[in-house]
Amino acid sequence: MDSRLREVDAPAEPADGAAALATAKAEVEVTKPRNDRRGYRRVVLPNALECLLISDPDTDKAAASMNVSVGYFCDPDGMEGLAHFLEHMLFYASEKYPIEDSYSKYIAEHGGSTNAFTTSEHTNFYFDVNNDSLDDALDRFAQFFIKPLMSPDATLREIKAVDSENQKNILSDPWRMSQLQKHLCSNNHPYHKFSTGNWDTLEVKPKEKGLDTRAELINFYDSHYSANLMQLAVYGKESLDNIQTLVESKFCDIKNVGRKHFSFPGHPCSSKDLQILVKAVPIKQGHTLRILWPITPNVRHYKEGPCRYVSHLIGHEGEGSLFYILKKLGWAMSLEAGEGDWSYDFSFFSVVIQLTDVGHEHMEDVVGLLFRYITLLQTSGTPKWIFDELLAICEMGFHYRDKSPPSNYVVNISSNMQIFPPEDWLIASSVPSKFSPDAIQKVLNELTTENVRIFWESKLFEGHTDLTEPWYGTSYCVEAVPPSIMQKWVENAPNEDLHLPKPNIFIPTDLSLKNVEEKTSFPCMLRKTLFSRLWYKPDTMFFTPKVFIKMDFHCPLSNSSPESSVHTDIFTRLLMDYLNDYAYDAEVAGLYYAVRPNDTGFQVTMVGYNDKMRTLLDTVIGKIADFEVKIDRFSVIKETITKGYENFKFQQPYQQAMYNCTLILEEQTWPWDEELAALSNLEARNLEDFLPRMLAKTFIECYFAGNIEPSEAESVVQHIEGILFNSSTSVCKSLPPSQHLTKRIVKLERGLRYYYPAMCLNQQDENSSLLHYIQIHQDDLKQNVLLQLLAVVAKQPAFHQLRSVEQLGYIALLRQRNDSGVRGLQFIIQSTVKDPSNLDARVEAFLKMFEVTLHEMPDAEFKSNVNALIDMKREKYKNIREESAFFWGEISQGTLKFDRKETEIAALEELKKEELIEFFDNHVKVGAPEKKILSIQIYGGLHSSEYEKIIHDAPPPHSHRITDIFSFRRSRPLYGSFKGGAGQMKL
């Protein structure tokens, strides 16, 4: 696969501040997609702050993003993580808005969200909010960059949050391996640094040196946060003139201290960091090979796009490609290629290969084949037809780009503003428009054996390493691999037929829009038979040549036991595996497809350009109809799934809590260890026996939406039925109505608190976690809106109290939960500070505090929250995926309330504050008469003694400890299902 990072992740050579001001009044025409009706205007304020204003009369949300051209590369020596820590601190308070958390509270109360991130050379802050609140939101946001307050108390508390964030990453292989790559670079280059920071770097070490962290923080802010180093993107419903007036008034007071743009010339790798083989021990099972080369950054030639061309070929998965050969040999599970970490001054090209156990034994051959393929590319010229194909695909992708959420949009643009000239802020490097064989050849010529770094990760290296990376504790060793050795690997590699890809048959040629007479707002049932049901929704909003298809294959046998579940999983993965050689081109050309197992069988999804949809769908259905088990691929897929199960214990503790909650609540789910045991005994012949039995009872629920006519949708489904059910060789038979599957949820008992304590599966993980679930009701109009409103009102206070004030952990949140229409609230906290039982007590303490807040809430604040929720419900879908996700949810759950949002808005408009208080008092508050609680408690390594105590202590009054999940599940009543038999729904 061609794997490129988004442009958002990299800075470039900035323009001179004076030059930028000189062009402030010059009209710049920003290149935009041909179907984009939004207005754009570039403005430079007197303080040299560069802005892009975006006016979208159709938007339901406003948004803004401020990109600051300062990142962790600027961290002072000995204070690693200071830039990241400053990003955290700016959210607390400002001189104009001194009440702690008032910014985040305002955003949450007005239907929005906010966040930030820090990279090597920039820090990006962003938010979205309901349209009519943009003025006040921008005013609060601007204070981040004008006069923030960084109180000593808040500073100390937030260091704990940064430390908790780092604790979350300590046992994460992506973080560990990224830092190892940085560690094995020149320590004179900032790339070598540790970016996140922790308690040691931000509190202990500074104190030892007599430094005051808060003073250093303020000094860093005053020195580095200068208006001429900032880029602002603002997105709103108002006219460009009005947005400009708003921006000029809010952001003109940001100081311009004349700080020059930071530059970090030179490459992180010196000659001693090349021609090395690094063997590293990961946390998870598996073998990964990362081959990296320092190269000329693509951004210097972004119009030519040489890296896009090269990564397209090295990452290709079709016949003759490197991955095709490695897969055929049984050596690789996946391959990704593309430009990785980069800036204007340096860049890495990487090829990342997930190896099988056999592939691990043939590492040298794998590297040899890679270099043989690179040699083929270096010597075969640069065919223009490949560039032309890429250009056609990229241009379509740009001009028919789906609308994204405004917050995502402004983040990408503000990040691009640091890198590209104004006319290219939208298009960036997404469309390489100039064919330059020389630029492509230059990149290829840098991918040499003299220039390479190889990182090889496997648990098999445990006990065979002699070095430790200091920040994450990764064990590794380093060996020299001179070009002469690698040349032997090339010579000894198998002589396989590597060749360039064939022309892509999936590139759309017909991008016309269908003329559908029936302009319906909701899906309608077009067709129903004993074999299938077809729902249809034409595109009445987006006017793009795209289609969305979901097909649920309901097969009762598919998930009837752990063995059946594993069989179904292997079947879908093999199906995708068989399709890959042919259908990889479809994904490259913008037609995404997937076959995945689900609760009631398996699901086929297809979304993208409609032109070649029929070709791809026919192929997928044909593979299902003529499925055969290939023993060699079965072995590889079985190995992949086995490693996935073995790595389950390395999931974050909060993920383990979520898993256990689902296992307790959902009637027919199987534990991972039983599925692993079933998998270990599975042979190819077992799948051959199972598949016809599974498909012998099948019903297909179909949803077709977008640029497709109803007659075409009917024709496609009829054709599918003909292949799967009505031919002489069909294995599929219809599913009787009595056997249609329902997904049912455990009903907890009111007035009782159930708790399930368990040790974290990875005892090396010091983090503990709590999931405190309050089950409330099954899908009901009035109670739905009361629950949603309560979540809106309580979300930010919960985050502020549990995360910011008490500093229980980096992950501390309140959110709604919906299990097949059974709804409730859940608190999720991950912590090293307190054990899960104590975290449970802190949730109860918060609810007592919040009870007072809710009862004393002013009427105006209540109304503001109601209006925020109404505005969120009125938000229009941005693309066919979003719209289809909602309608498909109604179909798959059997509720069929396609007008759900409209009826909920009507209910909200009538809602009274007293009703919300009564709902809280009855269902949520401590001691509420209708309250039903399930507390999932995962005890990390730091809290093992507390675990021993809780399992030996008698349960407190009105509490019940779950000791056996499945005995408990069998003993409880279940909520009724909305889903009936074929064509019969309970509404």
mmCIF file of all heavy atoms in Angstrom, residues 658 771-774 776-777 779 783-795 813-819 822-828 869 872-873 904 919:
data_model
loop_
_atom_site.group_PDB
_atom_site.id
_atom_site.type_symbol
_atom_site.label_atom_id
_atom_site.label_comp_id
_atom_site.label_asym_id
_atom_site.label_seq_id
_atom_site.Cartn_x
_atom_site.Cartn_y
_atom_site.Cartn_z
ATOM 1 N N MET A 658 -13.770 -1.687 28.205
ATOM 2 C CA MET A 658 -14.844 -1.579 27.216
ATOM 3 C C MET A 658 -15.205 -2.952 26.653
ATOM 4 O O MET A 658 -16.378 -3.267 26.454
ATOM 5 C CB MET A 658 -14.417 -0.616 26.096
ATOM 6 C CG MET A 658 -14.319 0.833 26.556
ATOM 7 S SD MET A 658 -13.451 1.906 25.398
ATOM 8 C CE MET A 658 -14.595 1.956 24.038
ATOM 9 N N LEU A 771 -14.651 1.591 33.965
ATOM 10 C CA LEU A 771 -15.783 1.954 33.120
ATOM 11 C C LEU A 771 -17.019 1.884 34.019
ATOM 12 O O LEU A 771 -17.400 0.801 34.467
ATOM 13 C CB LEU A 771 -15.924 1.010 31.926
ATOM 14 C CG LEU A 771 -16.937 1.447 30.848
ATOM 15 C CD1 LEU A 771 -16.584 0.830 29.497
ATOM 16 C CD2 LEU A 771 -18.376 1.081 31.202
ATOM 17 N N HIS A 772 -17.598 3.031 34.328
ATOM 18 C CA HIS A 772 -18.773 3.132 35.204
ATOM 19 C C HIS A 772 -19.976 3.401 34.307
ATOM 20 O O HIS A 772 -20.140 4.499 33.776
ATOM 21 C CB HIS A 772 -18.556 4.278 36.206
ATOM 22 C CG HIS A 772 -19.683 4.478 37.178
ATOM 23 N ND1 HIS A 772 -19.623 4.059 38.481
ATOM 24 C CD2 HIS A 772 -20.906 5.066 37.035
ATOM 25 C CE1 HIS A 772 -20.741 4.375 39.098
ATOM 26 N NE2 HIS A 772 -21.534 4.986 38.246
ATOM 27 N N TYR A 773 -20.785 2.356 34.118
ATOM 28 C CA TYR A 773 -21.907 2.416 33.175
ATOM 29 C C TYR A 773 -23.224 2.519 33.927
ATOM 30 O O TYR A 773 -23.484 1.747 34.863
ATOM 31 C CB TYR A 773 -21.883 1.160 32.292
ATOM 32 C CG TYR A 773 -23.114 0.923 31.449
ATOM 33 C CD1 TYR A 773 -23.555 1.867 30.517
ATOM 34 C CD2 TYR A 773 -23.835 -0.263 31.572
ATOM 35 C CE1 TYR A 773 -24.681 1.628 29.736
ATOM 36 C CE2 TYR A 773 -24.958 -0.518 30.781
ATOM 37 C CZ TYR A 773 -25.377 0.440 29.870
ATOM 38 O OH TYR A 773 -26.489 0.216 29.098
ATOM 39 N N ILE A 774 -24.049 3.479 33.538
ATOM 40 C CA ILE A 774 -25.381 3.653 34.103
ATOM 41 C C ILE A 774 -26.382 3.343 32.989
ATOM 42 O O ILE A 774 -26.509 4.112 32.027
ATOM 43 C CB ILE A 774 -25.581 5.086 34.621
ATOM 44 C CG1 ILE A 774 -24.507 5.442 35.658
ATOM 45 C CG2 ILE A 774 -26.983 5.247 35.228
ATOM 46 C CD1 ILE A 774 -24.443 6.917 36.019
ATOM 47 N N ILE A 776 -29.989 3.096 31.342
ATOM 48 C CA ILE A 776 -31.168 3.924 31.620
ATOM 49 C C ILE A 776 -32.432 3.416 30.937
ATOM 50 O O ILE A 776 -33.433 3.132 31.594
ATOM 51 C CB ILE A 776 -30.884 5.400 31.258
ATOM 52 C CG1 ILE A 776 -29.740 5.919 32.142
ATOM 53 C CG2 ILE A 776 -32.144 6.257 31.458
ATOM 54 C CD1 ILE A 776 -29.294 7.325 31.876
ATOM 55 N N HIS A 777 -32.426 3.277 29.615
ATOM 56 C CA HIS A 777 -33.691 2.938 28.948
ATOM 57 C C HIS A 777 -33.423 2.350 27.569
ATOM 58 O O HIS A 777 -32.308 2.426 27.061
ATOM 59 C CB HIS A 777 -34.563 4.189 28.808
ATOM 60 C CG HIS A 777 -34.024 5.188 27.828
ATOM 61 N ND1 HIS A 777 -32.998 6.064 28.136
ATOM 62 C CD2 HIS A 777 -34.337 5.448 26.522
ATOM 63 C CE1 HIS A 777 -32.721 6.807 27.083
ATOM 64 N NE2 HIS A 777 -33.511 6.456 26.098
ATOM 65 N N ASP A 779 -34.581 2.577 23.522
ATOM 66 C CA ASP A 779 -34.984 3.622 22.574
ATOM 67 C C ASP A 779 -36.390 4.176 22.822
ATOM 68 O O ASP A 779 -37.390 3.489 22.653
ATOM 69 C CB ASP A 779 -34.898 3.056 21.151
ATOM 70 C CG ASP A 779 -34.935 4.159 20.099
ATOM 71 O OD1 ASP A 779 -34.435 5.256 20.378
ATOM 72 O OD2 ASP A 779 -35.479 3.901 19.017
ATOM 73 N N GLN A 783 -37.088 10.048 26.458
ATOM 74 C CA GLN A 783 -35.913 9.730 27.264
ATOM 75 C C GLN A 783 -34.614 9.863 26.472
ATOM 76 O O GLN A 783 -33.576 10.212 27.037
ATOM 77 C CB GLN A 783 -36.053 8.321 27.843
ATOM 78 C CG GLN A 783 -37.144 8.247 28.912
ATOM 79 C CD GLN A 783 -37.030 7.003 29.765
ATOM 80 O OE1 GLN A 783 -36.971 5.899 29.230
ATOM 81 N NE2 GLN A 783 -36.994 7.165 31.066
ATOM 82 N N ASN A 784 -34.666 9.621 25.169
ATOM 83 C CA ASN A 784 -33.475 9.818 24.329
ATOM 84 C C ASN A 784 -32.966 11.250 24.442
ATOM 85 O O ASN A 784 -31.778 11.489 24.648
ATOM 86 C CB ASN A 784 -33.783 9.526 22.859
ATOM 87 C CG ASN A 784 -33.955 8.049 22.572
ATOM 88 O OD1 ASN A 784 -33.707 7.204 23.426
ATOM 89 N ND2 ASN A 784 -34.385 7.728 21.363
ATOM 90 N N VAL A 785 -33.887 12.214 24.280
ATOM 91 C CA VAL A 785 -33.438 13.616 24.267
ATOM 92 C C VAL A 785 -33.008 14.062 25.660
ATOM 93 O O VAL A 785 -32.091 14.877 25.799
ATOM 94 C CB VAL A 785 -34.501 14.566 23.661
ATOM 95 C CG1 VAL A 785 -34.753 14.230 22.209
ATOM 96 C CG2 VAL A 785 -35.798 14.558 24.455
ATOM 97 N N LEU A 786 -33.659 13.529 26.701
ATOM 98 C CA LEU A 786 -33.234 13.867 28.063
ATOM 99 C C LEU A 786 -31.828 13.348 28.328
ATOM 100 O O LEU A 786 -30.987 14.053 28.895
ATOM 101 C CB LEU A 786 -34.221 13.283 29.081
ATOM 102 C CG LEU A 786 -35.563 14.025 29.199
ATOM 103 C CD1 LEU A 786 -36.586 13.166 29.924
ATOM 104 C CD2 LEU A 786 -35.378 15.360 29.920
ATOM 105 N N LEU A 787 -31.555 12.118 27.896
ATOM 106 C CA LEU A 787 -30.221 11.550 28.070
ATOM 107 C C LEU A 787 -29.182 12.335 27.274
ATOM 108 O O LEU A 787 -28.096 12.658 27.771
ATOM 109 C CB LEU A 787 -30.221 10.087 27.627
ATOM 110 C CG LEU A 787 -28.863 9.370 27.656
ATOM 111 C CD1 LEU A 787 -28.311 9.293 29.067
ATOM 112 C CD2 LEU A 787 -28.974 7.971 27.055
ATOM 113 N N GLN A 788 -29.500 12.665 26.029
ATOM 114 C CA GLN A 788 -28.563 13.423 25.190
ATOM 115 C C GLN A 788 -28.270 14.790 25.800
ATOM 116 O O GLN A 788 -27.127 15.244 25.819
ATOM 117 C CB GLN A 788 -29.141 13.580 23.785
ATOM 118 C CG GLN A 788 -29.220 12.284 22.997
ATOM 119 C CD GLN A 788 -30.166 12.375 21.823
ATOM 120 O OE1 GLN A 788 -30.526 13.458 21.382
ATOM 121 N NE2 GLN A 788 -30.609 11.228 21.326
ATOM 122 N N LEU A 789 -29.302 15.443 26.296
ATOM 123 C CA LEU A 789 -29.119 16.766 26.896
ATOM 124 C C LEU A 789 -28.287 16.674 28.164
ATOM 125 O O LEU A 789 -27.397 17.508 28.398
ATOM 126 C CB LEU A 789 -30.477 17.402 27.188
ATOM 127 C CG LEU A 789 -30.439 18.828 27.752
ATOM 128 C CD1 LEU A 789 -29.728 19.772 26.778
ATOM 129 C CD2 LEU A 789 -31.853 19.334 28.039
ATOM 130 N N LEU A 790 -28.554 15.646 28.982
ATOM 131 C CA LEU A 790 -27.769 15.469 30.206
ATOM 132 C C LEU A 790 -26.295 15.263 29.868
ATOM 133 O O LEU A 790 -25.413 15.807 30.532
ATOM 134 C CB LEU A 790 -28.312 14.275 30.990
ATOM 135 C CG LEU A 790 -27.625 13.998 32.329
ATOM 136 C CD1 LEU A 790 -27.819 15.164 33.284
ATOM 137 C CD2 LEU A 790 -28.146 12.714 32.943
ATOM 138 N N ALA A 791 -26.027 14.480 28.817
ATOM 139 C CA ALA A 791 -24.636 14.239 28.403
ATOM 140 C C ALA A 791 -23.970 15.540 27.953
ATOM 141 O O ALA A 791 -22.806 15.791 28.263
ATOM 142 C CB ALA A 791 -24.588 13.206 27.286
ATOM 143 N N VAL A 792 -24.712 16.376 27.230
ATOM 144 C CA VAL A 792 -24.167 17.673 26.783
ATOM 145 C C VAL A 792 -23.829 18.547 27.982
ATOM 146 O O VAL A 792 -22.769 19.173 28.056
ATOM 147 C CB VAL A 792 -25.182 18.389 25.854
ATOM 148 C CG1 VAL A 792 -24.796 19.849 25.663
ATOM 149 C CG2 VAL A 792 -25.254 17.685 24.507
ATOM 150 N N VAL A 793 -24.754 18.582 28.967
ATOM 151 C CA VAL A 793 -24.572 19.456 30.133
ATOM 152 C C VAL A 793 -23.447 18.956 31.033
ATOM 153 O O VAL A 793 -22.686 19.752 31.593
ATOM 154 C CB VAL A 793 -25.900 19.548 30.928
ATOM 155 C CG1 VAL A 793 -25.697 20.296 32.245
ATOM 156 C CG2 VAL A 793 -26.977 20.232 30.099
ATOM 157 N N ALA A 794 -23.309 17.626 31.167
ATOM 158 C CA ALA A 794 -22.372 17.064 32.152
ATOM 159 C C ALA A 794 -20.987 16.760 31.598
ATOM 160 O O ALA A 794 -20.037 16.601 32.369
ATOM 161 C CB ALA A 794 -22.970 15.788 32.745
ATOM 162 N N LYS A 795 -20.846 16.672 30.274
ATOM 163 C CA LYS A 795 -19.591 16.204 29.679
ATOM 164 C C LYS A 795 -18.383 17.055 30.091
ATOM 165 O O LYS A 795 -17.379 16.543 30.584
ATOM 166 C CB LYS A 795 -19.734 16.183 28.155
ATOM 167 C CG LYS A 795 -18.488 15.712 27.428
ATOM 168 C CD LYS A 795 -18.689 15.755 25.922
ATOM 169 C CE LYS A 795 -17.404 15.394 25.190
ATOM 170 N NZ LYS A 795 -17.560 15.479 23.730
ATOM 171 N N LEU A 813 -13.364 10.724 30.819
ATOM 172 C CA LEU A 813 -14.432 11.275 29.990
ATOM 173 C C LEU A 813 -15.785 10.687 30.334
ATOM 174 O O LEU A 813 -15.896 9.618 30.934
ATOM 175 C CB LEU A 813 -14.110 11.056 28.507
ATOM 176 C CG LEU A 813 -13.741 9.639 28.066
ATOM 177 C CD1 LEU A 813 -14.962 8.883 27.616
ATOM 178 C CD2 LEU A 813 -12.717 9.691 26.942
ATOM 179 N N LEU A 814 -16.802 11.411 29.943
ATOM 180 C CA LEU A 814 -18.196 10.990 30.078
ATOM 181 C C LEU A 814 -18.800 10.983 28.687
ATOM 182 O O LEU A 814 -18.676 11.954 27.939
ATOM 183 C CB LEU A 814 -18.958 11.969 30.974
ATOM 184 C CG LEU A 814 -20.485 11.864 30.975
ATOM 185 C CD1 LEU A 814 -20.938 10.524 31.526
ATOM 186 C CD2 LEU A 814 -21.100 13.008 31.776
ATOM 187 N N ARG A 815 -19.477 9.887 28.325
ATOM 188 C CA ARG A 815 -20.113 9.824 27.019
ATOM 189 C C ARG A 815 -21.361 8.943 27.088
ATOM 190 O O ARG A 815 -21.541 8.173 28.031
ATOM 191 C CB ARG A 815 -19.149 9.293 25.954
ATOM 192 C CG ARG A 815 -18.625 7.900 26.243
ATOM 193 C CD ARG A 815 -17.907 7.291 25.037
ATOM 194 N NE ARG A 815 -16.750 8.037 24.624
ATOM 195 C CZ ARG A 815 -15.685 7.506 24.020
ATOM 196 N NH1 ARG A 815 -15.643 6.195 23.810
ATOM 197 N NH2 ARG A 815 -14.675 8.236 23.639
ATOM 198 N N GLN A 816 -22.216 9.078 26.083
ATOM 199 C CA GLN A 816 -23.379 8.214 25.988
ATOM 200 C C GLN A 816 -22.948 6.827 25.491
ATOM 201 O O GLN A 816 -21.925 6.691 24.837
ATOM 202 C CB GLN A 816 -24.383 8.790 24.999
ATOM 203 C CG GLN A 816 -24.987 10.117 25.403
ATOM 204 C CD GLN A 816 -25.887 10.640 24.313
ATOM 205 O OE1 GLN A 816 -26.938 10.084 24.058
ATOM 206 N NE2 GLN A 816 -25.471 11.721 23.668
ATOM 207 N N ARG A 817 -23.790 5.857 25.812
ATOM 208 C CA ARG A 817 -23.561 4.503 25.300
ATOM 209 C C ARG A 817 -24.866 4.009 24.699
ATOM 210 O O ARG A 817 -25.943 4.226 25.259
ATOM 211 C CB ARG A 817 -23.095 3.578 26.425
ATOM 212 C CG ARG A 817 -22.731 2.183 25.939
ATOM 213 C CD ARG A 817 -22.274 1.288 27.068
ATOM 214 N NE ARG A 817 -22.003 -0.048 26.544
ATOM 215 C CZ ARG A 817 -20.793 -0.548 26.323
ATOM 216 N NH1 ARG A 817 -19.728 0.176 26.591
ATOM 217 N NH2 ARG A 817 -20.644 -1.774 25.836
ATOM 218 N N ASN A 818 -24.770 3.354 23.544
ATOM 219 C CA ASN A 818 -25.950 2.828 22.871
ATOM 220 C C ASN A 818 -25.640 1.410 22.405
ATOM 221 O O ASN A 818 -24.851 1.203 21.493
ATOM 222 C CB ASN A 818 -26.322 3.724 21.677
ATOM 223 C CG ASN A 818 -27.568 3.250 20.953
ATOM 224 O OD1 ASN A 818 -28.118 2.197 21.256
ATOM 225 N ND2 ASN A 818 -28.012 4.025 19.980
ATOM 226 N N ASP A 819 -26.252 0.428 23.066
ATOM 227 C CA ASP A 819 -26.087 -0.976 22.675
ATOM 228 C C ASP A 819 -27.380 -1.447 22.039
ATOM 229 O O ASP A 819 -28.340 -1.761 22.745
ATOM 230 C CB ASP A 819 -25.771 -1.830 23.903
ATOM 231 C CG ASP A 819 -24.484 -1.421 24.592
ATOM 232 O OD1 ASP A 819 -23.420 -1.840 24.126
ATOM 233 O OD2 ASP A 819 -24.548 -0.672 25.588
ATOM 234 N N VAL A 822 -30.328 0.151 23.479
ATOM 235 C CA VAL A 822 -30.353 0.280 24.940
ATOM 236 C C VAL A 822 -29.333 1.334 25.321
ATOM 237 O O VAL A 822 -28.144 1.188 25.039
ATOM 238 C CB VAL A 822 -30.049 -1.070 25.619
ATOM 239 C CG1 VAL A 822 -29.995 -0.902 27.132
ATOM 240 C CG2 VAL A 822 -31.091 -2.104 25.225
ATOM 241 N N ARG A 823 -29.830 2.392 25.984
ATOM 242 C CA ARG A 823 -28.994 3.588 26.144
ATOM 243 C C ARG A 823 -28.635 3.866 27.595
ATOM 244 O O ARG A 823 -29.351 3.491 28.513
ATOM 245 C CB ARG A 823 -29.729 4.798 25.552
ATOM 246 C CG ARG A 823 -29.961 4.625 24.053
ATOM 247 C CD ARG A 823 -30.966 5.623 23.512
ATOM 248 N NE ARG A 823 -31.270 5.296 22.121
ATOM 249 C CZ ARG A 823 -30.923 6.055 21.086
ATOM 250 N NH1 ARG A 823 -30.268 7.178 21.266
ATOM 251 N NH2 ARG A 823 -31.244 5.686 19.863
ATOM 252 N N GLY A 824 -27.505 4.543 27.755
ATOM 253 C CA GLY A 824 -27.061 4.913 29.089
ATOM 254 C C GLY A 824 -25.892 5.865 29.024
ATOM 255 O O GLY A 824 -25.556 6.406 27.964
ATOM 256 N N LEU A 825 -25.283 6.103 30.181
ATOM 257 C CA LEU A 825 -24.100 6.954 30.301
ATOM 258 C C LEU A 825 -22.929 6.095 30.746
ATOM 259 O O LEU A 825 -23.119 5.117 31.490
ATOM 260 C CB LEU A 825 -24.323 8.044 31.351
ATOM 261 C CG LEU A 825 -25.273 9.184 31.012
ATOM 262 C CD1 LEU A 825 -25.521 10.025 32.262
ATOM 263 C CD2 LEU A 825 -24.714 10.057 29.894
ATOM 264 N N GLN A 826 -21.715 6.461 30.329
ATOM 265 C CA GLN A 826 -20.547 5.757 30.841
ATOM 266 C C GLN A 826 -19.415 6.734 31.122
ATOM 267 O O GLN A 826 -19.134 7.635 30.321
ATOM 268 C CB GLN A 826 -20.093 4.644 29.898
ATOM 269 C CG GLN A 826 -19.715 5.065 28.501
ATOM 270 C CD GLN A 826 -19.309 3.892 27.623
ATOM 271 O OE1 GLN A 826 -19.324 2.747 28.036
ATOM 272 N NE2 GLN A 826 -18.946 4.177 26.389
ATOM 273 N N PHE A 827 -18.815 6.573 32.288
ATOM 274 C CA PHE A 827 -17.583 7.284 32.630
ATOM 275 C C PHE A 827 -16.434 6.333 32.339
ATOM 276 O O PHE A 827 -16.484 5.152 32.730
ATOM 277 C CB PHE A 827 -17.557 7.641 34.122
ATOM 278 C CG PHE A 827 -18.552 8.691 34.548
ATOM 279 C CD1 PHE A 827 -19.863 8.341 34.833
ATOM 280 C CD2 PHE A 827 -18.177 10.010 34.671
ATOM 281 C CE1 PHE A 827 -20.785 9.289 35.231
ATOM 282 C CE2 PHE A 827 -19.089 10.976 35.071
ATOM 283 C CZ PHE A 827 -20.398 10.618 35.352
ATOM 284 N N ILE A 828 -15.397 6.828 31.669
ATOM 285 C CA ILE A 828 -14.208 6.013 31.383
ATOM 286 C C ILE A 828 -12.993 6.768 31.912
ATOM 287 O O ILE A 828 -12.759 7.923 31.531
ATOM 288 C CB ILE A 828 -14.055 5.744 29.876
ATOM 289 C CG1 ILE A 828 -15.269 4.959 29.344
ATOM 290 C CG2 ILE A 828 -12.768 4.962 29.599
ATOM 291 C CD1 ILE A 828 -15.282 4.798 27.837
ATOM 292 N N LEU A 869 -27.885 21.614 21.475
ATOM 293 C CA LEU A 869 -28.199 20.254 21.045
ATOM 294 C C LEU A 869 -29.086 20.265 19.798
ATOM 295 O O LEU A 869 -28.893 19.452 18.885
ATOM 296 C CB LEU A 869 -28.887 19.499 22.185
ATOM 297 C CG LEU A 869 -29.189 18.013 21.966
ATOM 298 C CD1 LEU A 869 -27.951 17.232 21.530
ATOM 299 C CD2 LEU A 869 -29.792 17.395 23.220
ATOM 300 N N MET A 872 -26.937 20.951 16.867
ATOM 301 C CA MET A 872 -26.150 19.767 16.508
ATOM 302 C C MET A 872 -27.001 18.793 15.690
ATOM 303 O O MET A 872 -26.519 18.174 14.735
ATOM 304 C CB MET A 872 -25.637 19.085 17.780
ATOM 305 C CG MET A 872 -24.518 19.858 18.480
ATOM 306 S SD MET A 872 -24.313 19.415 20.228
ATOM 307 C CE MET A 872 -23.608 17.796 20.119
ATOM 308 N N LYS A 873 -28.274 18.674 16.054
ATOM 309 C CA LYS A 873 -29.164 17.773 15.318
ATOM 310 C C LYS A 873 -29.526 18.329 13.944
ATOM 311 O O LYS A 873 -29.844 17.574 13.022
ATOM 312 C CB LYS A 873 -30.436 17.499 16.134
ATOM 313 C CG LYS A 873 -30.175 16.634 17.349
ATOM 314 C CD LYS A 873 -31.436 16.298 18.095
ATOM 315 C CE LYS A 873 -31.137 15.391 19.265
ATOM 316 N NZ LYS A 873 -30.488 14.121 18.862
ATOM 317 N N GLU A 904 -36.889 14.414 17.377
ATOM 318 C CA GLU A 904 -36.152 14.750 18.595
ATOM 319 C C GLU A 904 -36.019 16.262 18.753
ATOM 320 O O GLU A 904 -36.090 16.783 19.878
ATOM 321 C CB GLU A 904 -34.781 14.064 18.595
ATOM 322 C CG GLU A 904 -34.890 12.559 18.818
ATOM 323 C CD GLU A 904 -33.553 11.856 18.919
ATOM 324 O OE1 GLU A 904 -32.527 12.460 18.554
ATOM 325 O OE2 GLU A 904 -33.545 10.695 19.365
ATOM 326 N N PHE A 919 -35.379 13.575 35.445
ATOM 327 C CA PHE A 919 -34.693 12.461 34.765
ATOM 328 C C PHE A 919 -33.403 12.114 35.498
ATOM 329 O O PHE A 919 -33.114 10.939 35.772
ATOM 330 C CB PHE A 919 -34.409 12.857 33.316
ATOM 331 C CG PHE A 919 -33.672 11.825 32.509
ATOM 332 C CD1 PHE A 919 -34.329 10.731 31.979
ATOM 333 C CD2 PHE A 919 -32.306 11.958 32.271
ATOM 334 C CE1 PHE A 919 -33.651 9.774 31.233
ATOM 335 C CE2 PHE A 919 -31.619 11.010 31.523
ATOM 336 C CZ PHE A 919 -32.297 9.918 31.004
#
